[in-house]
Amino acid sequence: MDAMLDPTVLQTLWFALIAFFFLGYFVLEGFDFGVQMNVATFWRRGVQTRGTVLKTIGPVWDGNEVWLITGGALLFAAFPEWYATLFSGFYLALLLLLLVLIVRVCAFKWRDKVDSDRWKNSWDVVHVIGGFAPALLWGVAFGNIVSGVSIDENHWVTTSLLGLLNPFALLAGVVFVLLFWLHGTHYLALKVQGRLREDANRLAGILMWPTIVSGAAFLLWFQFSHSNTWLTLIPVAVAAVALLAAVPLNRKRREGLAFGATSTAIAAAAITLFGGLFPYVMPASNDPANSLTVANASSTEHTLTVMLVALGVLMPIVIAYTVWTYRVFRHRVADEDSPAPGAELLEKAKKGYREAFEQG
């Protein structure tokens, strides 16, 4: 217990816990973003097909967002200096991200409230934006966090908005978009049936190689230019193997394993970024002395200890609820070309009743 209460151990543990929550958020919300991107992919198939696409994440998307809310709250409480510097320095980008996420909630809640194609088309546009924009913004934000920004002695970010749009951060944005799009497409193939299922599998095959190439370029660039340890080569290798394994799995239509492969790749990429960032939380590109670390950005030892006890009680509940939710809603969703489960039996029963009625 004394070792656990050591400030250095507590700070490191809390850094790992925040990384865990963002890892969970990217794995779970990542396929939500990807499914929403596919609203654009299947736009010409009509309102009904787009509705089917969105039904695959209907029961789970809001639960997935809890990981972001929890991670953000823990970041604020455990590392207030990190939170303050991050949100003040990336204010416009994070404000835009927040607005997109808010309007995205409206799209989920209001799309089917009015039986009008025009109404649903409008909200489907919002869904497409709600898929692409957060993925891009998260990528650019994390690209700048791990590569470093200009920070003054008061821990204010002095990098301009245009400075945040540097090649490394933009590549990170592209990788986040492609990886989440591929991840969501595998999830869609896992959750639908009929022609839509085959179309999703074909699209996943198309997205695979640009995702692998851009992802490899980004992670290797990070490893050789910005990572603080060579140990992150291990999760880089895991991410590469997972994405490459998804190629034959997709061809063999092993949809569950293919989805597991992209989940593993996202988790490994998150471990690479957070692992290579440690012990910094926001490195200063202009002067290393101005960098924020787990030591100078954390709360007091007492605060971290009390939070750890509370999290030890609540986190198993959150994880158990998440597992239960996915188990309950594990069945496939029928598209417009596929009968709903039990529909054939229902039609036979109706036919039997009609014949019995006609025969008197």
Side-chain angles (χ1 to χ4, degrees):
M1 186 67 178
D2 291 338
M4 286 192 65
L5 295 178
D6 179 79
T8 303
V9 174
L10 279 171
Q11 292 160 356
T12 303
L13 180 58
W14 271 105
F15 179 84
L17 285 169
I18 289 171
F20 171 75
F21 273 95
F22 275 96
L23 181 156
Y25 172 70
F26 288 143
V27 170
L28 296 175
E29 189 82 307
F31 70 74
D32 288 342
F33 293 147
V35 168
Q36 287 183 283
M37 293 178 201
N38 279 319
V39 170
T41 305
F42 299 106
W43 188 273
R44 293 187 178 182
R45 293 274 293 273
V47 170
Q48 187 173 351
T49 295
R50 282 179 255 138
T52 301
V53 169
L54 293 169
K55 283 179 184 177
T56 62
I57 57 174
V60 298
W61 68 269
D62 47 354
N64 294 341
E65 282 198 337
V66 170
W67 289 76
L68 173 63
I69 296 169
T70 306
L74 294 177
L75 177 63
F76 171 76
F79 297 99
E81 191 78 17
W82 183 10
Y83 183 94
T85 301
L86 176 65
F87 278 80
S88 61
F90 295 178
Y91 180 79
L92 291 177
L94 292 176
L95 177 62
L96 178 59
L97 174 63
L98 180 62
L99 289 174
V100 172
L101 292 177
I102 291 173
V103 177
R104 174 177 177 259
V105 174
C106 298
F108 276 110
K109 298 295 185 181
W110 295 349
R111 180 188 187 272
D112 295 320
K113 295 298 183 182
V114 177
D115 189 15
S116 162
D117 285 356
R118 183 176 181 181
W119 172 270
K120 293 180 179 180
N121 285 338
S122 300
W123 286 114
D124 284 347
V125 171
V126 176
H127 273 296
V128 174
I129 297 172
F132 279 102
L136 179 65
L137 290 170
W138 277 121
V140 171
F142 266 83
N144 280 289
I145 291 171
V146 299
S147 64
V149 291
S150 180
I151 302 175
D152 65 18
E153 62 277 4
N154 296 315
H155 291 163
W156 283 91
V157 174
T158 57
T159 300
S160 66
L161 180 60
L162 289 178
L164 296 177
L165 301 178
N166 56 78
F168 181 79
L170 290 176
L171 176 59
V174 171
V175 170
F176 270 54
V177 168
L178 287 173
L179 188 54
F180 289 165
W181 193 359
L182 174 63
H183 189 44
T185 304
H186 279 309
Y187 181 80
L188 185 62
L190 180 64
K191 292 293 293 181
V192 296
Q193 51 189 329
R195 186 160 62 97
L196 185 56
R197 176 183 178 182
E198 287 304 311
D199 290 343
N201 275 309
R202 280 193 292 270
L203 177 60
I206 295 171
L207 290 172
M208 201 79 68
W209 290 110
T211 303
I212 291 172
V213 172
S214 60
F218 169 68
L219 289 179
L220 290 175
W221 188 350
F222 169 72
Q223 179 63 53
F224 288 104
S225 298
H226 304 296
S227 177
N228 295 312
T229 174
W230 288 102
L231 291 176
T232 47
L233 276 174
I234 298 173
V236 168
V238 171
V241 170
L243 282 179
L244 289 172
V247 176
L249 291 171
N250 170 253
R251 290 173 180 169
K252 294 178 180 179
R253 298 299 187 254
R254 303 295 299 274
E255 291 139 344
L257 292 176
F259 176 71
T262 52
S263 298
T264 302
I266 292 173
I271 292 171
T272 300
L273 295 179
F274 278 97
L277 182 63
F278 184 82
Y280 297 99
V281 292
M282 283 196 73
S285 58
N286 56 321
D287 185 356
N290 296 336
S291 297
L292 290 174
T293 67
V294 294
N296 66 17
S298 71
S299 294
T300 64
E301 178 184 347
H302 177 73
T303 300
L304 296 179
T305 302
V306 172
M307 287 173 55
L308 188 62
V309 174
L311 189 65
V313 175
L314 297 176
M315 190 164 72
I317 298 174
V318 172
I319 295 174
Y321 175 76
T322 301
V323 173
W324 176 81
T325 301
Y326 280 94
R327 177 167 177 77
V328 170
F329 296 104
R330 65 187 182 276
H331 302 292
R332 290 183 181 270
V333 177
D335 69 359
E336 76 280 9
D337 297 322
S338 305
E344 185 177 349
L345 292 176
L346 181 60
E347 286 302 316
K348 287 182 178 179
K350 289 180 178 179
K351 183 179 180 181
Y353 280 122
R354 284 195 298 269
E355 290 176 351
F357 178 80
E358 292 171 357
Q359 291 174 4

